[in-house]
Amino acid sequence: DGKAVALYLPLTSKDMSYRIREALLDKVAGWKDTGDRVYITGLPVAEDTFGVQMFYQMAISAPLAMLVIFLVMWWFFRHVRLITSAMIVAMVAAASTMALLVISGSTVHIMSSMIPVFIMPIAVLDAVHILSEFFDRYPQHRDRHRAIREVMGILFKPMLFTTLTTMAGFASLALTPIPPVQVFGIFIAIGVFLAWLCTVTFIPAYIMLMPERGLTGFGHAVGDPDQNTVMGRWLHRLGEGVVGNARSVLVVTMVVVVAAGYGISQIRINDNPVKWFEPEHPIRVADRVLNEHFGGTYMAYLALVPEGDDVTLADYRQTFLDRLASHQKDVQAQDDATVAVFEELRAMAREVSEEADSAKAFLDELDQRVGVQLDAASDTHYDAWLEAQSFVDAERQRNETFKSPEVLRYIAELQQRLGETGVVGKSNSVADLVKTVHRELLGGDAEAFRIPDRPAAVAQTLLTYQNGHRPQDLWHFVTPDYRRASIWVQLTSGDNRDMSRVVQALDDFIAANPAPASLQARWFGLNYINVVWQDKMVSGMAMALFGSFVVVLLLMAVLFRSLLWGLLCMVPLTVTIGAIYGLIGLIGKNYDMPVAVLSALSLGLAVDYAIHFLARARATQAETGSWRRSVAPMFGEPARAITRNAIVLGVGFLPLLAAPLVPYQTVGVFIAAILLTAGLSTLLILPALITLLQRWMFPGSHRAVPNPQNQKEGVQ
């Protein structure tokens, strides 16, 4: 429509794209005064710009999240100096892990930039358990030494095993075939260990080094915290309700599981780095504008290589000599001069092949020597050397695959098929150059926009193009020996699903139309790399999740010395992961890089709450002698610790929603959802299961009547 013009800038390295974009924006900064608007976009720009901006967001979002966590903890515990200890642990763990990452020589990339965001909530998690237990026990003794010893005696084993299970969840990412994900998983596992080590050493020491007067007023006021706080009363009623309606709770859980299964079946695996920015980001605006006006801003490249193109010179020499021998038989009936010349050509070929380093160099040198012989040939031998030169020329043309009219027509048909996918706006190849030049040589007639019928005519069009102002542009589409070619494919969408559709269209076309010269098609370029990344991410994450699930189950069985208890511990984890990913499928959210990585966090955090609950349930039942009498204590301090933890961390990471980068928003939403869902499923599902399975879980103990309505005095 004459309203826009595009410049396409192919780059040799993605990491220069941000600098080029900034330089171009500086160059055109004054154009706004003229009314002209400049848009710059593309996958290299999007990915490199995201890589720069993620550092700014890491420096803003993570501290902001920690500030909110600090405020929520202050609202719960009302003691700045104590909750500062948890903040110190989180910062030391995150900073130490990033330091180890850099010292090890690993690259700080999109994945590893999120390491602090993942480590901080995990580091705070154990600290909140300690502070919550200490908050409830200190007022009973008014002796911090006795209180902290009791707290650590109760929590040390559960915290150790939650650390091991979380480490297993993230370390399992090392099983994925993607190096950045492997680095991410390994270093988060290291960070989780450092966080645990700091928590069990630093926080008790910190509390003991505080002056006694510094703890004045810390903890619940004298009295029953279950009755004196809103949370305490709510949890007490929740415990009674869950145990009294255990079957109903499990029926609702099964409904959730079925719905989650359906949602998981609807998950769309897709990603697009341009959509990592908010809709009004300049890169995303430019993407919409340019794709409205032009053929597409997403580049994919299709390399075409003849089968056997990678044969060695020794193999080619043998096939050359075999064809030469066959040709000699055809000329045997001719005069002695021709026979002698072809024998000399055979000897010459053997000599040249010893010196050449490629088939092209071999034919070039052989052609040059034959030309010298032809120039010096006598009348007797001239025709024979002319015949030899024709043979060498035929060999050269045999190797120049992409001068063949048949091959070029095949490329044109292939391009037409790709254009029919609906997401390819334009494609360019050597076939387009040949058709364009052929049309111009014939006076611009539209009917002449085609591939010539003879190889010599194709060669003429290519020679004419090379006589133009930019002859080097030809080598963007074909190599100088005409043995390899590439098609530039412009897509109007950067979604992996659309690139996969184009790949499938190519496969279908080749299957229905076998390529001449046995061409092999190989995709490359960022668009295709993202598809491969996504496929490997999905399969790798599935394998890692399954592997870590098995490891965590074995750890739980060892911890509780019971396979039944180990299986029970996995139930909230399974429900949480199923519910979160089922919701992703139901709302139509794409399964992309951040969502895939969060599966490891789901496993690590969801099992933490279950371990704490079951470990405390077993200890409490041993003291009371009955699960029914254990319900009230279990929905006292243990339930309060789990609830505080889920609220502190869930709410604490909602500030990530304010980040202008969509992956950070995704991480914020899903960390909050994972934490809240894991805490809620632990407090609802586990008590219900224990109530129904108590005769197997506590063999030999007295089993109370399961209906709390008839046993209120027992609960009290």
Side-chain angles (χ1 to χ4, degrees):
D1 57 11
K3 295 181 179 179
V5 62
L7 302 180
Y8 294 89
L9 307 177
L11 303 179
T12 56
S13 177
K14 184 179 70 175
D15 59 10
M16 67 173 67
S17 58
Y18 178 79
R19 299 194 304 273
I20 291 175
R21 177 176 181 268
E22 292 299 305
L24 288 172
L25 290 175
D26 289 341
K27 179 71 174 177
V28 303
W31 290 13
K32 293 181 180 179
D33 299 335
T34 66
D36 292 327
R37 287 171 294 175
V38 177
Y39 300 95
I40 305 174
T41 191
L43 274 184
V45 167
E47 294 184 7
D48 204 24
T49 301
F50 183 91
V52 172
Q53 293 188 1
M54 72 183 182
F55 288 102
Y56 297 117
Q57 288 307 310
M58 182 172 63
I60 296 171
S61 298
L64 183 61
M66 294 308 294
L67 174 62
V68 174
I69 289 175
F70 180 88
L71 294 175
V72 177
M73 290 179 68
W74 177 83
W75 182 66
F76 278 129
F77 302 122
R78 306 282 178 170
H79 199 288
V80 172
R81 293 182 65 179
L82 273 180
I83 61 179
T84 299
S85 64
M87 300 294 103
I88 293 173
V89 167
M91 289 187 288
V92 168
S96 300
T97 305
M98 292 303 290
L100 289 174
L101 177 78
V102 174
I103 290 171
S104 69
S106 299
T107 303
V108 181
H109 44 65
I110 293 174
M111 295 288 296
S112 57
S113 76
M114 290 188 174
I115 287 177
V117 177
F118 280 77
I119 287 180
M120 285 181 176
I122 298 171
V124 171
L125 190 147
D126 281 341
V128 171
H129 275 292
I130 292 177
L131 294 179
S132 181
E133 186 81 21
F134 187 70
F135 187 76
D136 289 337
R137 289 184 177 270
Y138 178 74
Q140 300 173 16
H141 308 299
R142 292 297 168 188
D143 181 348
R144 58 183 171 173
H145 185 270
R146 181 180 175 185
I148 197 66
R149 284 179 63 88
E150 287 185 5
V151 169
M152 296 306 294
I154 293 170
L155 295 180
F156 182 82
K157 185 180 286 186
M159 289 193 302
L160 174 61
F161 274 84
T162 57
T163 298
L164 292 176
T165 55
T166 303
M167 290 175 64
F170 282 104
S172 67
L173 297 180
L175 300 175
T176 63
I178 306 174
V181 178
Q182 295 171 351
V183 171
F184 174 81
I186 290 171
F187 277 93
I188 286 195
I190 293 172
V192 170
F193 173 77
L194 294 176
W196 171 82
L197 187 63
C198 290
T199 299
V200 299
T201 55
F202 176 77
I203 289 183
Y206 184 94
I207 292 174
M208 293 306 300
L209 289 174
M210 286 179 61
E212 193 74 44
R213 64 180 181 277
L215 293 172
T216 302
F218 181 73
H220 287 295
V222 177
D224 186 0
D226 292 340
Q227 302 300 327
N228 292 342
T229 64
V230 174
M231 180 184 293
R233 292 190 294 271
W234 181 82
L235 289 172
H236 185 71
R237 288 194 294 269
L238 178 67
E240 291 184 356
V242 170
V243 174
N245 300 277
R247 287 183 173 83
S248 299
V249 170
L250 295 181
V251 168
V252 173
T253 300
M254 288 305 300
V255 171
V256 172
V257 170
V258 171
Y262 173 76
I264 291 173
S265 70
Q266 301 301 307
I267 284 180
R268 296 180 308 175
I269 300 170
N270 192 29
D271 205 354
N272 183 351
V274 171
K275 293 181 180 178
W276 291 350
F277 300 94
E278 290 187 314
E280 299 309 313
H281 191 281
I283 287 178
R284 200 156 168 188
V285 172
D287 183 71
R288 289 196 298 269
V289 172
L290 290 179
N291 280 295
E292 288 172 2
H293 284 84
F294 300 104
T297 62
Y298 298 92
M299 300 299 297
Y301 304 89
L302 182 62
L304 298 175
V305 182
E307 189 174 297
D309 188 60
D310 54 352
V311 296
T312 64
L313 176 59
D315 291 338
Y316 176 74
R317 180 186 68 172
Q318 188 58 49
T319 59
F320 175 88
L321 293 176
D322 290 344
R323 285 193 291 268
L324 181 60
S326 176
H327 191 76
Q328 273 187 278
K329 291 180 181 178
D330 295 336
V331 299
Q332 286 297 329
Q334 299 183 23
D335 55 71
D336 294 339
T338 303
V339 173
V341 164
F342 270 83
E343 283 297 331
E344 188 174 346
L345 178 61
R346 171 179 288 274
M348 190 184 298
R350 293 182 182 278
E351 179 184 346
V352 170
S353 65
E354 297 296 332
E355 302 172 359
D357 57 3
S358 67
K360 181 178 184 303
F362 165 73
L363 290 173
D364 287 345
E365 178 65 22
L366 190 62
D367 182 62
Q368 184 176 354
R369 293 194 183 190
V370 169
V372 170
Q373 293 293 332
L374 181 63
D375 291 340
S378 64
D379 293 342
T380 305
H381 293 86
Y382 184 84
D383 288 340
W385 279 112
L386 192 61
E387 177 70 19
Q389 188 181 54
S390 297
F391 176 80
V392 174
D393 286 342
E395 282 295 314
R396 289 168 64 92
Q397 288 186 13
R398 180 193 301 273
N399 281 342
E400 293 177 333
T401 305
F402 294 100
K403 281 185 178 179
S404 165
E406 182 185 12
V407 171
L408 294 178
R409 289 193 192 97
Y410 184 83
I411 291 176
E413 292 174 8
L414 189 156
Q415 289 178 253
Q416 182 179 355
R417 175 64 189 93
L418 295 182
E420 294 170 357
T421 59
V423 293
V424 174
K426 183 173 173 56
S427 61
N428 292 282
S429 71
V430 64
D432 295 303
L433 297 183
V434 169
K435 288 192 291 184
T436 302
V437 174
H438 185 257
R439 179 186 61 193
E440 299 308 312
L441 288 175
L442 297 182
D445 188 353
E447 294 182 358
F449 187 71
R450 59 180 178 82
I451 302 297
D453 297 326
R454 295 180 297 105
V458 171
Q460 182 60 46
T461 61
L462 294 171
L463 182 61
T464 302
Y465 184 86
Q466 288 181 280
N467 288 330
H469 294 293
R470 295 178 59 86
Q472 70 277 8
D473 284 359
L474 178 60
W475 313 133
H476 292 160
F477 301 103
V478 65
T479 53
D481 60 359
Y482 294 93
R483 292 288 296 166
R484 296 168 181 253
S486 69
I487 302 175
W488 291 20
V489 182
Q490 293 174 236
L491 283 76
T492 55
S493 166
D495 288 5
N496 286 349
R497 291 164 62 91
D498 292 329
M499 183 68 223
S500 298
R501 193 195 315 174
V502 174
V503 172
Q504 187 61 51
L506 171 71
D507 294 341
D508 293 343
F509 177 83
I510 292 178
N513 304 275
S518 300
L519 295 178
Q520 296 178 342
R522 303 169 184 171
W523 287 102
F524 61 104
L526 286 182
N527 245 36
Y528 182 68
I529 288 173
N530 287 340
V531 172
V532 176
W533 157 281
Q534 193 75 25
D535 289 343
K536 290 186 176 293
M537 175 76 79
V538 171
S539 59
M541 285 298 174
M543 182 173 64
L545 190 61
F546 176 77
S548 58
F549 191 94
V550 173
V551 170
V552 170
L553 175 59
L554 294 175
L555 285 172
M556 294 304 94
V558 171
L559 168 62
F560 294 108
R561 295 183 176 85
S562 167
L563 181 60
L564 176 61
W565 281 75
L567 289 170
L568 201 66
C569 202
M570 305 302 287
V571 173
L573 179 157
T574 305
V575 173
T576 297
I577 294 178
I580 295 301
Y581 284 87
L583 181 63
I584 289 173
L586 291 174
I587 66 176
K589 164 73 177 173
N590 285 332
Y591 185 95
D592 52 17
M593 179 267 293
V595 172
V597 173
L598 283 167
S599 62
L601 187 68
S602 303
L603 190 148
L605 293 182
V607 77
D608 283 2
Y609 295 137
I611 291 173
H612 279 283
F613 189 90
L614 291 179
R616 298 293 293 275
R618 174 178 277 192
T620 304
Q621 193 276 342
E623 294 176 2
T624 63
S626 165
W627 166 243
R628 290 297 299 113
R629 288 193 290 271
S630 302
V631 173
M634 280 304 302
F635 278 85
E637 193 286 323
R640 286 196 300 274
I642 291 173
T643 304
R644 288 170 182 153
N645 223 312
I647 293 175
V648 167
L649 300 183
V651 174
F653 278 83
L654 290 180
L656 290 177
L657 289 172
L661 302 177
V662 174
Y664 278 82
Q665 299 173 6
T666 301
V667 168
V669 169
F670 281 96
I671 283 183
I674 288 166
L675 289 162
L676 295 174
T677 305
L680 187 61
S681 61
T682 297
L683 295 178
L684 290 176
I685 300 172
L686 288 184
L689 285 172
I690 293 174
T691 300
L692 297 178
L693 301 174
Q694 55 184 299
R695 69 165 62 181
W696 295 281
M697 300 188 67
F698 307 113
S701 65
H702 176 268
R703 182 184 178 192
V705 179
N707 187 355
Q709 299 300 323
N710 300 327
Q711 297 289 326
K712 287 188 176 180
E713 60 277 4
V715 176
Q716 296 297 328

